[in-house]
């Protein structure tokens, strides 16, 4: 499969995978257009310290369906977290992914806003959230707060939708400005969105109190 690099910390290895099927106007991933290198799943697994939690991130890892399954197979026994935009998470793939944790990004509930921002419809993403719940996955939904585009009102609508599926873990993350698309939201804006989402869900957090990426990490290029 193609990978850009591994990012290693004491407890986690992030496998950074290039390419994406979305075309987000405010994409923060500098790896999206990195061609990466072609390596086997076994070769990647050989570079990952045993016992480390493994985050598969992109870009969009589900673009490489078969290779993704091979890598998860090679990582047998290690905690695996798949970070995905959810567009390609159909039932057949999910049934093969049992046992891993999924972090699914829901950019917007409003279909027009989602299509405008990502270039794709959100119907399959919403269906994936329902399937993750029905198949009893350990999973979390996250939304990036983007000032001027995805704010507390949209986040409240997402939380209401999620509450109709179940009491889903929901995380609001702060937008990191790129290309002058938007700005970094203030702490009070994030807190307002968290409070709005908490009207519907029991487990809401934000990237302000709960960072998901280790600060101290080493980048390893493999070939
Ligand atoms: S889903 Fe993520 S990597 Fe893909 S275009 Fe959107 S922000 Fe960038």
């Amino acid at each position: 499969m193609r990978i850009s690099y591994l990012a290693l910390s004491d407890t986690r290895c992030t496998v950074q995978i290039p390419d994406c099927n979305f075309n987000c106007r405010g994409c923060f991933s500098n790896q999206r257009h990195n061609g990466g290198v072609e390596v086997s799943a076994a070769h990647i697994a050989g570079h990952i310290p045993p016992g480390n939690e493994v985050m598969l991130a992109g870009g969009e890892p589900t673009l490489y369906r078969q290779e993704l399954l091979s890598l998860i197979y090679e990582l047998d026994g290690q905690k695996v977290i798949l970070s995905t935009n959810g567009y390609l998470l159909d039932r057949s793939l999910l049934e093969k992914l049992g046992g891993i944790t999924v972090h699914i990004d829901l950019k917007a509930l409003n279909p027009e806003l989602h299509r405008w921002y990502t270039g794709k419809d959100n119907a399959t993403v919403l269906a994936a959230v329902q399937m993750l719940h029905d198949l009893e996955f350990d999973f979390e939904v996250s939304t990036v707060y983007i000032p001027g585009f995805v704010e507390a009102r949209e986040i409240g609508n997402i939380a209401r939708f999620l509450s109709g599926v179940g009491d889903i873990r929901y995380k609001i993350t702060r937008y990191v400005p790129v290309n002058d698309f938007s700005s970094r939201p203030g702490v009070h804006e994030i807190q307002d969105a968290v409070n709005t989402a908490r009207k519907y869900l029991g487990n809401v957090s934000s990237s302000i109190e709960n960072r998901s990426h280790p600060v101290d990490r080493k980048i390893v290029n493999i070939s």
Side-chain angles (χ1 to χ4, degrees), residues 3-202:
I3 72 161
S4 303
Y5 59 77
L6 303 181
L8 293 171
S9 72
D10 286 348
T11 55
R12 177 184 285 182
C13 175
T14 299
V15 182
Q16 193 71 41
I17 296 163
D19 299 334
C20 191
N21 48 351
F22 279 10
N23 192 20
C24 298
R25 291 173 185 259
C27 178
F28 51 84
S29 172
N30 58 6
Q31 293 310 311
R32 193 170 127 213
H33 301 299
N34 173 341
V37 290
E38 185 75 37
V39 279
S40 72
H43 190 61
I44 298 168
H47 282 76
I48 297 175
N52 264 35
E53 173 181 280
V54 183
M55 166 78 86
L56 307 174
E60 177 49 45
T62 59
L63 284 175
Y64 307 91
R65 194 179 179 105
Q66 208 46 54
E67 294 91 335
L68 183 68
L69 292 171
S70 302
L71 179 56
I72 291 169
Y73 176 79
E74 294 287 341
L75 294 169
D76 187 31
Q78 286 178 258
K79 175 167 181 171
V80 175
I81 303 171
L82 170 65
S83 174
T84 175
N85 62 33
Y87 191 78
L88 296 174
L89 275 188
D90 55 38
R91 183 169 278 270
S92 138
L93 178 58
L94 283 175
E95 283 171 351
K96 296 184 179 86
L97 288 175
I100 70 163
T101 297
V102 176
H103 290 180
I104 180 169
D105 205 7
L106 179 50
K107 312 283 186 194
L109 184 70
N110 179 314
E112 286 79 34
L113 176 59
H114 192 278
R115 209 173 297 114
W116 176 82
Y117 183 70
T118 69
K120 298 278 191 190
D121 195 73
N122 66 359
T124 59
V125 184
L126 302 182
V129 171
Q130 182 70 55
M131 281 187 280
L132 285 164
H133 178 262
D134 294 348
L135 294 169
E136 300 183 349
F137 268 77
D138 174 37
F139 78 105
E140 146 184 317
V141 177
S142 64
T143 299
V144 182
Y145 186 117
I146 311 174
F149 302 98
V150 180
E151 300 183 325
R153 179 194 288 256
E154 182 67 14
I155 285 171
N157 290 341
I158 291 172
R160 191 170 48 215
F161 161 77
L162 294 178
S163 71
V165 177
D167 193 12
I168 302 212
R169 225 155 69 225
Y170 186 43
K171 183 169 181 180
I172 298 157
T173 59
R174 244 173 149 179
Y175 181 68
V176 177
V178 286
N179 302 335
D180 296 326
F181 176 72
S182 179
S183 55
R184 185 171 170 79
V187 172
H188 63 285
E189 289 175 291
I190 298 291
Q191 198 52 55
D192 187 31
V194 167
N195 292 340
T196 303
R198 281 185 179 151
K199 291 179 190 161
Y200 304 101
L201 296 167

